[in-house]
Amino acid sequence: LLCYITAAKVVSLIAAMRAQALRVFLMDVRHMVDTCLIAGGWIAVMLEVMEILRARSFISSYAAYLEPRSGLSGPALKEHDERWVERFCREQNPLFEASHALLDMAFLYHILLVLPLLTATSGDSRLALTLRTLWICLSDLLHFAFIFVVIFVAYAMSGYFMLGSRFAELSSIHKSIAQCLQIILQRQYDDALM
């Protein structure tokens, strides 16, 4: 499907270039969203392939780790394990980074997939009214989101700076943001933080 969409977009891009309407083609919002969807899809495919290749290298490394381990005991076994854990962490760090990038890309990709559906709803009068209302108040929503993010990050960072040394849940910026988000959403959290 991604190959078909890419081929269709390339054909329409070539047609726009021949008609010398490339600037108009690129400035159209629908074409920009389609281009972002195609690019995001290919980036997700690339990250998935990278993750598969890294997983294969992990399996082969793990087999190489187990081979000499059976003949070791005591301090030699402990040294062997420590050396291999360090090597695994060093070799597999790109795999974890690719996994996180793939999750982020999947999140953004699904948001981009919703945009064409919103434009397709303009045929129904009620849905078109809802879409126009959202479009009109988009700047207000973006301003609210900006203010919310600034206040929330300040809230999380104050938790990290003031309580990070006392509570493991607030010991880093990322953990503090996750914990504060759980507190805001009233999910389960430790009563000691209250």
Side-chain angles (χ1 to χ4, degrees):
L1 181 63
L2 186 61
C3 292
Y4 171 75
I5 294 170
T6 304
K9 188 52 67 177
V10 167
V11 167
S12 62
L13 181 65
I14 291 172
M17 286 171 50
R18 285 188 180 162
Q20 296 181 351
L22 185 62
R23 184 171 181 213
V24 174
F25 178 82
L26 293 176
M27 296 305 287
D28 187 8
V29 174
R30 285 181 293 128
H31 295 301
M32 287 174 37
V33 170
D34 289 346
T35 304
C36 289
L37 281 172
I38 291 168
W42 285 112
I43 289 171
V45 167
M46 178 191 68
L47 288 172
E48 184 67 31
V49 167
M50 196 168 121
E51 189 172 6
I52 290 169
L53 293 176
R54 289 287 181 176
R56 286 183 183 166
S57 90
F58 173 78
I59 291 169
S60 64
S61 295
Y62 187 70
Y65 158 74
L66 289 178
E67 202 171 291
R69 192 174 192 277
S70 59
L72 299 174
S73 63
L77 179 63
K78 183 178 179 183
E79 182 182 327
H80 174 74
D81 285 346
E82 288 174 354
R83 197 174 53 240
W84 274 92
V85 164
E86 184 179 314
R87 180 179 170 190
F88 277 150
C89 290
R90 187 177 56 248
E91 287 179 357
Q92 298 308 316
N93 193 34
L95 175 64
F96 298 132
E97 289 175 4
S99 295
H100 289 298
L102 186 59
L103 287 174
D104 293 342
M105 190 67 211
F107 170 73
L108 293 174
Y109 195 68
H110 284 92
I111 289 176
L112 284 175
L113 282 174
V114 170
L115 292 177
L117 292 175
L118 288 176
T119 58
T121 61
S122 62
D124 182 42
S125 61
R126 290 182 182 178
L127 291 174
L129 178 65
T130 305
L131 187 61
R132 274 195 307 266
T133 305
L134 286 174
W135 187 254
I136 289 170
C137 71
L138 182 65
S139 66
D140 293 333
L141 288 174
L142 291 176
H143 287 111
F144 172 76
F146 178 76
I147 297 298
F148 175 78
V149 167
V150 167
I151 292 172
F152 176 74
V153 169
Y155 173 61
M157 291 196 60
S158 65
Y160 166 69
F161 288 131
M162 293 191 303
L163 302 171
S165 60
R166 294 185 201 162
F167 299 105
E169 295 89 359
L170 303 172
S171 61
S172 72
I173 297 289
H174 297 292
K175 289 181 180 179
S176 179
I177 289 174
Q179 187 66 28
C180 290
L181 188 62
Q182 286 182 355
I183 290 171
I184 286 175
L185 297 176
Q186 297 181 353
R187 302 267 166 93
Q188 273 187 316
Y189 50 85
D190 191 6
D191 289 334
L193 288 175
M194 294 306 289

